[in-house]
Short mmCIF file of all heavy atoms in Angstrom, two decimals:
data_model
loop_
_atom_site.label_atom_id
_atom_site.label_comp_id
_atom_site.label_asym_id
_atom_site.label_seq_id
_atom_site.Cartn_x
_atom_site.Cartn_y
_atom_site.Cartn_z
N THR Y 220 100.76 134.47 148.32
CA THR Y 220 99.36 134.58 147.89
C THR Y 220 99.02 136.04 147.61
O THR Y 220 99.67 136.97 148.11
CB THR Y 220 98.42 134.04 148.99
OG1 THR Y 220 98.67 134.78 150.21
CG2 THR Y 220 98.68 132.57 149.24
N ASN Y 221 97.99 136.24 146.78
CA ASN Y 221 97.49 137.57 146.42
C ASN Y 221 98.60 138.45 145.85
O ASN Y 221 98.74 139.63 146.20
CB ASN Y 221 96.86 138.25 147.65
CG ASN Y 221 96.07 139.49 147.27
OD1 ASN Y 221 95.48 139.56 146.19
ND2 ASN Y 221 96.07 140.49 148.13
N ILE Y 222 99.41 137.87 144.96
CA ILE Y 222 100.53 138.60 144.36
C ILE Y 222 100.06 139.33 143.11
O ILE Y 222 99.48 138.73 142.21
CB ILE Y 222 101.68 137.65 144.00
CG1 ILE Y 222 102.17 136.91 145.25
CG2 ILE Y 222 102.82 138.41 143.33
CD1 ILE Y 222 102.78 137.79 146.29
N LYS Y 223 100.30 140.64 143.05
CA LYS Y 223 100.00 141.45 141.87
C LYS Y 223 101.30 142.13 141.44
O LYS Y 223 101.80 143.02 142.13
CB LYS Y 223 98.93 142.50 142.19
CG LYS Y 223 97.58 141.91 142.58
CD LYS Y 223 96.58 143.01 142.91
CE LYS Y 223 95.24 142.41 143.33
NZ LYS Y 223 94.26 143.48 143.69
N VAL Y 224 101.84 141.69 140.31
CA VAL Y 224 103.18 142.09 139.90
C VAL Y 224 103.14 143.22 138.86
O VAL Y 224 102.36 143.17 137.91
CB VAL Y 224 103.95 140.88 139.31
CG1 VAL Y 224 105.33 141.31 138.81
CG2 VAL Y 224 104.08 139.78 140.35
N ALA Y 225 103.98 144.22 139.06
CA ALA Y 225 104.27 145.24 138.05
C ALA Y 225 105.72 145.03 137.63
O ALA Y 225 106.63 145.08 138.46
CB ALA Y 225 104.07 146.64 138.61
N TYR Y 226 105.95 144.77 136.33
CA TYR Y 226 107.27 144.34 135.85
C TYR Y 226 107.83 145.37 134.88
O TYR Y 226 107.25 145.62 133.82
CB TYR Y 226 107.15 142.97 135.17
CG TYR Y 226 108.46 142.23 134.99
CD1 TYR Y 226 108.64 140.96 135.51
CD2 TYR Y 226 109.52 142.80 134.31
CE1 TYR Y 226 109.84 140.27 135.36
CE2 TYR Y 226 110.72 142.13 134.16
CZ TYR Y 226 110.87 140.86 134.69
OH TYR Y 226 112.06 140.20 134.53
N PHE Y 227 108.96 146.00 135.25
CA PHE Y 227 109.67 146.91 134.36
C PHE Y 227 110.76 146.14 133.65
O PHE Y 227 111.72 145.67 134.26
CB PHE Y 227 110.30 148.07 135.16
CG PHE Y 227 110.98 149.11 134.32
CD1 PHE Y 227 110.33 150.29 134.01
CD2 PHE Y 227 112.27 148.91 133.83
CE1 PHE Y 227 110.96 151.25 133.23
CE2 PHE Y 227 112.89 149.86 133.05
CZ PHE Y 227 112.23 151.04 132.75
N ASP Y 228 110.61 145.98 132.33
CA ASP Y 228 111.51 145.16 131.52
C ASP Y 228 112.57 146.06 130.88
O ASP Y 228 112.23 147.02 130.19
CB ASP Y 228 110.69 144.44 130.45
CG ASP Y 228 111.56 143.71 129.43
OD1 ASP Y 228 112.70 143.36 129.79
OD2 ASP Y 228 111.11 143.53 128.30
N GLN Y 229 113.86 145.74 131.10
CA GLN Y 229 114.92 146.59 130.55
C GLN Y 229 114.90 146.65 129.03
O GLN Y 229 115.39 147.60 128.42
CB GLN Y 229 116.29 146.11 131.03
CG GLN Y 229 116.70 144.73 130.52
CD GLN Y 229 118.18 144.47 130.72
OE1 GLN Y 229 119.01 145.35 130.47
NE2 GLN Y 229 118.53 143.28 131.17
N HIS Y 230 114.32 145.63 128.38
CA HIS Y 230 114.25 145.63 126.92
C HIS Y 230 112.99 146.31 126.40
O HIS Y 230 112.77 146.40 125.20
CB HIS Y 230 114.30 144.19 126.39
CG HIS Y 230 115.53 143.45 126.82
ND1 HIS Y 230 116.80 143.83 126.42
CD2 HIS Y 230 115.70 142.39 127.65
CE1 HIS Y 230 117.69 143.01 126.96
NE2 HIS Y 230 117.05 142.14 127.72
N ARG Y 231 112.14 146.81 127.33
CA ARG Y 231 110.93 147.55 126.98
C ARG Y 231 110.00 146.74 126.07
O ARG Y 231 109.35 147.28 125.18
CB ARG Y 231 111.27 148.89 126.33
CG ARG Y 231 112.28 149.70 127.15
CD ARG Y 231 112.58 151.05 126.52
NE ARG Y 231 113.64 151.73 127.23
CZ ARG Y 231 114.89 151.78 126.82
NH1 ARG Y 231 115.25 151.17 125.71
NH2 ARG Y 231 115.80 152.42 127.51
N ALA Y 232 109.99 145.41 126.29
CA ALA Y 232 109.17 144.53 125.45
C ALA Y 232 107.68 144.80 125.66
O ALA Y 232 106.86 144.43 124.82
CB ALA Y 232 109.48 143.06 125.77
N ALA Y 233 107.31 145.44 126.78
CA ALA Y 233 105.90 145.72 127.04
C ALA Y 233 105.35 146.83 126.16
O ALA Y 233 104.15 147.08 126.14
CB ALA Y 233 105.70 146.09 128.51
N LEU Y 234 106.22 147.52 125.41
CA LEU Y 234 105.80 148.61 124.54
C LEU Y 234 105.81 148.16 123.08
O LEU Y 234 106.79 147.58 122.61
CB LEU Y 234 106.72 149.82 124.71
CG LEU Y 234 106.78 150.47 126.10
CD1 LEU Y 234 107.82 151.58 126.12
CD2 LEU Y 234 105.41 151.00 126.51
N ASP Y 235 104.72 148.44 122.37
CA ASP Y 235 104.64 148.18 120.93
C ASP Y 235 105.20 149.39 120.21
O ASP Y 235 104.61 150.48 120.27
CB ASP Y 235 103.18 147.94 120.53
CG ASP Y 235 103.05 147.52 119.07
OD1 ASP Y 235 103.96 147.85 118.27
OD2 ASP Y 235 102.04 146.90 118.72
N PRO Y 236 106.34 149.25 119.51
CA PRO Y 236 106.98 150.42 118.90
C PRO Y 236 106.13 151.11 117.84
O PRO Y 236 106.31 152.29 117.56
CB PRO Y 236 108.27 149.85 118.29
CG PRO Y 236 108.03 148.38 118.16
CD PRO Y 236 107.10 148.01 119.27
N GLU Y 237 105.18 150.39 117.23
CA GLU Y 237 104.36 150.97 116.17
C GLU Y 237 103.18 151.78 116.72
O GLU Y 237 102.62 152.61 116.01
CB GLU Y 237 103.84 149.87 115.24
CG GLU Y 237 104.93 149.06 114.56
CD GLU Y 237 105.84 149.92 113.69
OE1 GLU Y 237 105.34 150.89 113.09
OE2 GLU Y 237 107.05 149.63 113.64
N LYS Y 238 102.81 151.53 117.97
CA LYS Y 238 101.67 152.24 118.55
C LYS Y 238 102.13 153.50 119.26
O LYS Y 238 103.29 153.65 119.63
CB LYS Y 238 100.92 151.33 119.53
CG LYS Y 238 100.20 150.16 118.87
CD LYS Y 238 99.45 149.34 119.91
CE LYS Y 238 98.70 148.18 119.26
NZ LYS Y 238 97.98 147.36 120.28
N SER Y 239 101.19 154.42 119.47
CA SER Y 239 101.51 155.67 120.16
C SER Y 239 101.70 155.42 121.65
O SER Y 239 101.36 154.35 122.19
CB SER Y 239 100.39 156.69 119.96
OG SER Y 239 99.22 156.27 120.66
N ILE Y 240 102.23 156.43 122.35
CA ILE Y 240 102.40 156.33 123.80
C ILE Y 240 101.05 156.09 124.46
O ILE Y 240 100.90 155.22 125.33
CB ILE Y 240 103.04 157.62 124.36
CG1 ILE Y 240 104.39 157.89 123.70
CG2 ILE Y 240 103.20 157.53 125.87
CD1 ILE Y 240 104.97 159.25 124.03
N ALA Y 241 100.03 156.88 124.05
CA ALA Y 241 98.70 156.75 124.66
C ALA Y 241 98.11 155.37 124.43
O ALA Y 241 97.51 154.78 125.34
CB ALA Y 241 97.77 157.83 124.09
N GLU Y 242 98.27 154.81 123.22
CA GLU Y 242 97.74 153.48 122.93
C GLU Y 242 98.45 152.41 123.75
O GLU Y 242 97.84 151.46 124.23
CB GLU Y 242 97.90 153.18 121.43
CG GLU Y 242 96.97 153.98 120.55
CD GLU Y 242 97.28 153.81 119.07
OE1 GLU Y 242 98.48 153.65 118.73
OE2 GLU Y 242 96.34 153.84 118.26
N ASN Y 243 99.77 152.56 123.93
CA ASN Y 243 100.54 151.59 124.72
C ASN Y 243 100.14 151.63 126.19
O ASN Y 243 99.88 150.60 126.80
CB ASN Y 243 102.04 151.88 124.59
CG ASN Y 243 102.69 151.11 123.46
OD1 ASN Y 243 102.93 149.92 123.57
ND2 ASN Y 243 102.98 151.80 122.36
N VAL Y 244 100.09 152.82 126.75
CA VAL Y 244 99.85 152.96 128.19
C VAL Y 244 98.39 152.67 128.53
O VAL Y 244 98.09 151.99 129.51
CB VAL Y 244 100.26 154.36 128.67
CG1 VAL Y 244 99.90 154.56 130.14
CG2 VAL Y 244 101.75 154.58 128.46
N GLY Y 245 97.47 153.16 127.72
CA GLY Y 245 96.05 153.00 128.01
C GLY Y 245 95.41 151.80 127.37
O GLY Y 245 94.20 151.61 127.49
N ASP Y 246 96.21 150.98 126.66
CA ASP Y 246 95.67 149.81 125.94
C ASP Y 246 94.52 150.20 125.04
O ASP Y 246 93.51 149.49 124.92
CB ASP Y 246 95.22 148.73 126.93
CG ASP Y 246 96.39 148.07 127.64
OD1 ASP Y 246 97.45 147.94 127.02
OD2 ASP Y 246 96.24 147.71 128.82
N GLY Y 247 94.65 151.37 124.39
CA GLY Y 247 93.64 151.83 123.44
C GLY Y 247 92.47 152.56 124.06
O GLY Y 247 91.59 153.05 123.35
N LYS Y 248 92.43 152.67 125.39
CA LYS Y 248 91.31 153.33 126.07
C LYS Y 248 91.60 154.82 126.27
O LYS Y 248 92.74 155.21 126.51
CB LYS Y 248 91.05 152.68 127.42
CG LYS Y 248 90.71 151.19 127.35
CD LYS Y 248 90.63 150.59 128.74
CE LYS Y 248 90.41 149.08 128.68
NZ LYS Y 248 90.43 148.46 130.03
N GLN Y 249 90.54 155.64 126.18
CA GLN Y 249 90.68 157.07 126.41
C GLN Y 249 90.64 157.41 127.90
O GLN Y 249 91.23 158.40 128.33
CB GLN Y 249 89.56 157.83 125.68
CG GLN Y 249 89.68 157.79 124.17
CD GLN Y 249 90.94 158.48 123.68
OE1 GLN Y 249 91.21 159.63 124.02
NE2 GLN Y 249 91.73 157.77 122.88
N ASP Y 250 89.91 156.58 128.66
CA ASP Y 250 89.80 156.82 130.11
C ASP Y 250 90.43 155.64 130.85
O ASP Y 250 90.17 154.48 130.52
CB ASP Y 250 88.34 156.98 130.52
CG ASP Y 250 87.72 158.24 129.92
OD1 ASP Y 250 88.22 159.33 130.21
OD2 ASP Y 250 86.75 158.11 129.15
N VAL Y 251 91.23 155.95 131.85
CA VAL Y 251 91.90 154.92 132.65
C VAL Y 251 91.60 155.18 134.12
O VAL Y 251 91.15 156.26 134.51
CB VAL Y 251 93.43 154.93 132.41
CG1 VAL Y 251 93.75 154.58 130.97
CG2 VAL Y 251 94.03 156.30 132.77
N VAL Y 252 91.84 154.18 134.95
CA VAL Y 252 91.66 154.32 136.39
C VAL Y 252 93.03 154.25 137.05
O VAL Y 252 93.77 153.27 136.88
CB VAL Y 252 90.74 153.22 136.95
CG1 VAL Y 252 90.64 153.34 138.48
CG2 VAL Y 252 89.36 153.31 136.33
N HIS Y 253 93.38 155.30 137.79
CA HIS Y 253 94.67 155.34 138.48
C HIS Y 253 94.44 155.72 139.93
O HIS Y 253 93.78 156.72 140.22
CB HIS Y 253 95.60 156.37 137.81
CG HIS Y 253 96.95 156.47 138.45
ND1 HIS Y 253 97.44 157.65 138.98
CD2 HIS Y 253 97.90 155.54 138.67
CE1 HIS Y 253 98.64 157.43 139.48
NE2 HIS Y 253 98.95 156.17 139.30
N GLN Y 254 94.96 154.90 140.84
CA GLN Y 254 94.80 155.10 142.28
C GLN Y 254 93.32 155.26 142.65
O GLN Y 254 92.95 156.09 143.48
CB GLN Y 254 95.60 156.32 142.75
CG GLN Y 254 97.11 156.11 142.61
CD GLN Y 254 97.91 157.25 143.19
OE1 GLN Y 254 97.54 158.42 143.08
NE2 GLN Y 254 99.04 156.92 143.82
N GLY Y 255 92.49 154.47 141.98
CA GLY Y 255 91.08 154.41 142.33
C GLY Y 255 90.18 155.48 141.72
O GLY Y 255 88.98 155.49 141.98
N ARG Y 256 90.74 156.38 140.91
CA ARG Y 256 89.88 157.41 140.31
C ARG Y 256 90.10 157.47 138.80
O ARG Y 256 91.23 157.27 138.31
CB ARG Y 256 90.12 158.78 140.95
CG ARG Y 256 91.52 159.36 140.73
CD ARG Y 256 91.69 160.66 141.52
NE ARG Y 256 92.97 161.30 141.28
CZ ARG Y 256 93.17 162.24 140.37
NH1 ARG Y 256 92.17 162.65 139.61
NH2 ARG Y 256 94.37 162.79 140.22
N PRO Y 257 89.02 157.76 138.04
CA PRO Y 257 89.15 157.80 136.57
C PRO Y 257 89.91 159.04 136.11
O PRO Y 257 89.78 160.12 136.69
CB PRO Y 257 87.68 157.84 136.10
CG PRO Y 257 86.93 158.43 137.25
CD PRO Y 257 87.64 157.99 138.49
N ARG Y 258 90.70 158.86 135.06
CA ARG Y 258 91.44 159.98 134.46
C ARG Y 258 91.51 159.77 132.96
O ARG Y 258 91.57 158.64 132.48
CB ARG Y 258 92.86 160.07 135.02
CG ARG Y 258 92.95 160.40 136.48
CD ARG Y 258 94.39 160.64 136.91
NE ARG Y 258 94.97 161.81 136.26
CZ ARG Y 258 96.24 162.21 136.43
NH1 ARG Y 258 97.03 161.53 137.24
NH2 ARG Y 258 96.69 163.28 135.81
N HIS Y 259 91.54 160.86 132.22
CA HIS Y 259 91.76 160.76 130.78
C HIS Y 259 93.22 160.39 130.55
O HIS Y 259 94.12 160.85 131.26
CB HIS Y 259 91.43 162.08 130.08
CG HIS Y 259 91.31 161.95 128.59
ND1 HIS Y 259 92.41 161.91 127.76
CD2 HIS Y 259 90.22 161.83 127.78
CE1 HIS Y 259 92.00 161.78 126.51
NE2 HIS Y 259 90.67 161.73 126.49
N ILE Y 260 93.46 159.54 129.57
CA ILE Y 260 94.82 159.04 129.33
C ILE Y 260 95.80 160.18 129.06
O ILE Y 260 96.95 160.14 129.51
CB ILE Y 260 94.83 158.01 128.17
CG1 ILE Y 260 96.22 157.40 128.01
CG2 ILE Y 260 94.34 158.64 126.87
CD1 ILE Y 260 96.70 156.62 129.18
N LEU Y 261 95.36 161.24 128.36
CA LEU Y 261 96.27 162.35 128.05
C LEU Y 261 96.62 163.13 129.32
O LEU Y 261 97.75 163.62 129.46
CB LEU Y 261 95.65 163.28 127.00
CG LEU Y 261 95.34 162.64 125.64
CD1 LEU Y 261 94.83 163.69 124.67
CD2 LEU Y 261 96.58 161.95 125.07
N SER Y 262 95.66 163.25 130.24
CA SER Y 262 95.94 163.92 131.52
C SER Y 262 96.93 163.09 132.33
O SER Y 262 97.86 163.64 132.93
CB SER Y 262 94.63 164.10 132.29
OG SER Y 262 94.89 164.52 133.62
N TYR Y 263 96.73 161.78 132.36
CA TYR Y 263 97.64 160.90 133.11
C TYR Y 263 99.05 160.98 132.56
O TYR Y 263 100.03 161.06 133.31
CB TYR Y 263 97.12 159.47 133.05
CG TYR Y 263 98.05 158.44 133.65
CD1 TYR Y 263 98.30 158.40 135.01
CD2 TYR Y 263 98.69 157.51 132.83
CE1 TYR Y 263 99.15 157.45 135.56
CE2 TYR Y 263 99.55 156.56 133.37
CZ TYR Y 263 99.78 156.54 134.74
OH TYR Y 263 100.63 155.62 135.27
N LEU Y 264 99.19 161.01 131.22
CA LEU Y 264 100.52 161.03 130.61
C LEU Y 264 101.24 162.36 130.83
O LEU Y 264 102.47 162.41 130.79
CB LEU Y 264 100.41 160.74 129.11
CG LEU Y 264 100.10 159.27 128.78
CD1 LEU Y 264 99.83 159.11 127.29
CD2 LEU Y 264 101.22 158.36 129.21
#
């Protein structure tokens, strides 16, 4: 119960090759939340 999965795929299927790193990681958002606090996607990367 209460399972939250983070999956690292060896084929990197979770990444869209046509999109930028920031678009892939942040899902198009400029601000993301990491470890409970907001950060700009470029700072996080």
Side-chain angles (χ1 to χ4, degrees):
T220 57
N221 193 32
I222 301 295
K223 297 179 181 178
V224 177
Y226 197 123
F227 183 99
D228 172 26
Q229 65 165 318
H230 302 295
R231 309 182 186 101
L234 298 176
D235 185 336
E237 300 300 326
K238 292 182 179 179
S239 69
I240 302 171
E242 289 172 326
N243 268 285
V244 175
D246 290 326
K248 301 173 184 176
Q249 291 297 306
D250 294 300
V251 296
V252 177
H253 180 239
Q254 294 186 322
R256 65 185 183 94
R258 295 187 64 183
H259 194 280
I260 185 63
L261 299 184
S262 170
Y263 173 69
L264 287 173

